Amino acid sequence: MTRENLRINAERLLRRLDELGQIGALEGGGNCRLAFSDEDKAGRDIVLGWMRAAGLDIRIDRFGNVTATRPGREDGPPVMAGSHTDTVATGGKYDGNLGVLAGLEAIETLNDAGIETRRPVAVTLFSNEEGARFSPDMMGSLVYQGGLPLEEAYGIEGIDGSTVGENLERIGYIGDAPVGGNEVHAFVELHIEQGPILEDEGRTIGAVEGVQGISWTEYTFTGRSAHAGTTPMSRRCDAGYVAAEVAAYVRRLAAETGNGHVSTVGVFEVEPDLVNVVPQKAKITADLRNFDNELLKQAEQKLEAFVDDIAGREGAAVARRTLARFDPTPFDTGMVDRIHGIAERLGYSTRRIASGAGHDAQIMARICPTAMIFVPSVDGISHNIQEYTKPEDCEAGANVMLHTLLELAE
Amino acid sequence: MTRENLRINAERLLRRLDELGQIGALEGGGNCRLAFSDEDKAGRDIVLGWMRAAGLDIRIDRFGNVTATRPGREDGPPVMAGSHTDTVATGGKYDGNLGVLAGLEAIETLNDAGIETRRPVAVTLFSNEEGARFSPDMMGSLVYQGGLPLEEAYGIEGIDGSTVGENLERIGYIGDAPVGGNEVHAFVELHIEQGPILEDEGRTIGAVEGVQGISWTEYTFTGRSAHAGTTPMSRRCDAGYVAAEVAAYVRRLAAETGNGHVSTVGVFEVEPDLVNVVPQKAKITADLRNFDNELLKQAEQKLEAFVDDIAGREGAAVARRTLARFDPTPFDTGMVDRIHGIAERLGYSTRRIASGAGHDAQIMARICPTAMIFVPSVDGISHNIQEYTKPEDCEAGANVMLHTLLELAE
């Protein structure tokens, strides 16, 4: 078997996905393995067992990030795959898990074929990517990269009032290796798309060019509650009406902005929420995303202008709160080109794609050349027990991962 | 003193308003005397005491409606004033109470002046006008008029699960007089406007031409929840967006319809109500009111067409539920002219006006010539502990009531 013909062991990869998916399994499918829970520990333990059985060097850092390394002919920074095995409360069995297990599978494929690489090849399981129990998300990669001090991360309180530090200690995943200052030659993360684009277009592989910039703003409008029957329209100051006009504008803004811009009003609440009372208060959120930071900024400015105008005309007060703001993260173009080329060479239908969701890879992009491989999500569903990616697509993604690591390791 | 110069005793009227307002008094002002509660009973008791002290014939019917009558020179149907003394949970001390106490005050003024009338003059306190504890509103007048069978009304369950019948019995207000089949010569109700029109125009008296028609519809839109970052706009089926467009249209509809049309979206709820999830469900209510039934029907039809169009374009399902639908109730034009003329004669600034809220008078209009007298609500506020009507306006309304009853009783 030549290097070019090398393929991963799909049966082993899929079996492990199933086994991992049985830990914290939910009625009807999917998983609940919230970060640093007993289920998270059990998931980590089984993966760690496979890493050990593959003869890899295991390194666990002070924040529970697990790196398993296969040595190269030379020392020096490894080529690294990685993702996470924690889930949201109603998670699927592909999100995160696929990236970790495909990295491990690629390494075991090299073992099975007896292939030596110049550089070490590693796979990392990052702590708490989801942020569902302890905010922010991508916490493990952030600490690994050095963007969040360890002691600060330990002190973060979760939704149940306990801290990251006490839970990490409880599950026994505070390792000896220091955090920060890690040197990595290149990083690649395989992940499900979590959207419908690849499936819609009948493509198997997405070469991910980067992560969209995200802008989250909460608007609270204050008007004047009034009797819906006895208050003439000219006398109204209707907070719900202002919010509705803004929500309708947020949709128009997507078309106006272009470049794959998405924008969403996910929260809409009014007070007192009674059929015959003009709403005194309304709260909505605007979630704007674009891969181009200038376009994202333009969209933000246009929305602000619209909000000021419509609230001003109604005489309603506006309170704003920025909930999140991340610039877009473009990935390394050489890495993206490489993934695209490998996928084509292996015979998979491929396109370049932007990620609408956040991933550990966007943190790793701060310290080394980074890109991602996407595979299709059936119906675009994720963070849901119905999350599903076809076995042949998992296999395809892992094969692209294998050859990407192989090339980068030479 | 001639009949023309006759005026009510303002000091007595205002003192009684205050005394009644002390029963079920709320911190900061206002009252809570929910129908058939202990507070409602205490309020009825004090009014009944004043009626008895005035030497009137007391008649309590099987539904707790209390009629106090001053005999005329002839027998036959009385000229009647009336309203209610129950309140919403955060009621004011004028809504309802003013109409009952002004009717009583007018009768006592006749007593004090020793004036005989041809027809009997009566004042009625109707049970459960607000409908805040037991739905529907205007229940007492409806039973009095014969529009709601007594046994059916007894069986109605309230927000606390108990029934009207057991509560009426508990407070001791099931009287001997039958319900339905009542003959009344004419009915007039004094009430606060509950809106800002009289105050805005600096008028003291509104001659109420009728009650607006009311159309309440609840719309539930069902779309598809989706990831706000990874789902392209073209793939969305956003129930919240559809609801926002409908809410914005409901506002435009008011201007398009005219004739004082008011329309309100008071309820707006989305699911799952998360910043980064496209809403799967949205529920809103539309409250449309117009004094012209044809215009109200046109507005309903235009809204239906808009809802179908926008939901269809988004691919969202629509479920509709009619929560209420009342045709407009025009009052007797002779009665309206009479009230308008008397108010002018007494020197009060006057206008014709439509009622945006429902009142016992609209039920009484089914059995006799009926109209209403409005006095200004400061800032248009009602159903609120800040509800306020100036003493001189209460006095003016009661004087118009006095002369209206006097004329009708001859």
Side-chain angles (χ1 to χ4, degrees), chain B residues 170-384:
Chain B
R170 191 181 61 79
I171 67 168
Y173 267 88
I174 297 186
D176 298 325
V179 297
N182 293 294
E183 281 188 51
V184 179
H185 178 71
F187 183 80
V188 56
E189 181 173 4
L190 170 64
H191 206 282
I192 56 169
E193 180 198 337
Q194 301 180 268
I197 296 172
L198 292 175
E199 186 188 43
D200 272 8
E201 296 188 0
R203 313 249 185 194
T204 304
I205 299 294
V208 184
E209 297 180 293
V211 178
Q212 291 186 331
I214 297 181
S215 170
W216 286 2
T217 310
E218 179 190 272
Y219 296 97
T220 305
F221 302 103
T222 305
R224 205 170 44 240
S225 75
H227 192 297
T230 59
T231 311
M233 301 310 291
S234 61
R235 284 285 303 245
R236 298 192 176 200
C237 181
D238 183 337
Y241 163 69
V242 173
E245 287 282 12
V246 173
Y249 180 71
V250 164
R251 167 63 70 94
R252 295 199 295 280
L253 192 57
E256 281 177 19
T257 306
N259 191 40
H261 185 95
V262 289
S263 50
T264 309
V265 171
V267 168
F268 203 126
E269 296 166 11
V270 298
E271 285 176 29
D273 203 29
L274 296 172
V275 58
N276 61 344
V277 181
V278 175
Q280 180 185 15
K281 262 201 182 172
K283 185 173 85 176
I284 60 172
T285 55
D287 173 327
L288 312 184
R289 307 197 193 196
N290 202 297
F291 196 58
D292 180 317
N293 210 26
E294 285 314 305
L295 288 175
L296 185 57
K297 284 182 194 167
Q298 275 176 34
E300 290 174 318
Q301 284 158 12
K302 285 168 82 172
L303 178 56
E304 287 305 292
F306 185 89
V307 164
D308 285 338
D309 178 57
I310 189 77
R313 279 191 278 140
E314 187 76 2
V318 189
R320 295 168 164 81
R321 199 157 65 96
T322 298
L323 302 180
R325 181 63 172 82
F326 298 109
D327 285 350
T329 304
F331 288 144
D332 181 89
T333 51
M335 292 276 288
V336 177
D337 290 346
R338 186 185 299 277
I339 288 167
H340 194 270
I342 288 172
E344 287 193 324
R345 217 169 64 217
L346 296 185
Y348 301 126
S349 174
T350 308
R351 63 162 282 169
R352 289 161 199 279
I353 192 169
S355 173
H359 294 290
D360 291 314
Q362 79 194 74
I363 307 300
M364 293 301 289
R366 299 177 182 182
I367 56 174
C368 65
T370 295
M372 294 183 71
I373 303 161
F374 272 0
V375 287
S377 293
V378 171
D379 285 335
I381 294 171
S382 74
H383 285 192
N384 189 301

Side-chain angles (χ1 to χ4, degrees), chain B residues 152-168:
Chain B
E152 189 180 322
Y154 279 163
I156 288 171
E157 273 190 26
I159 51 178
D160 53 10
S162 66
T163 67
V164 166
E166 71 197 51
N167 280 282
L168 251 179

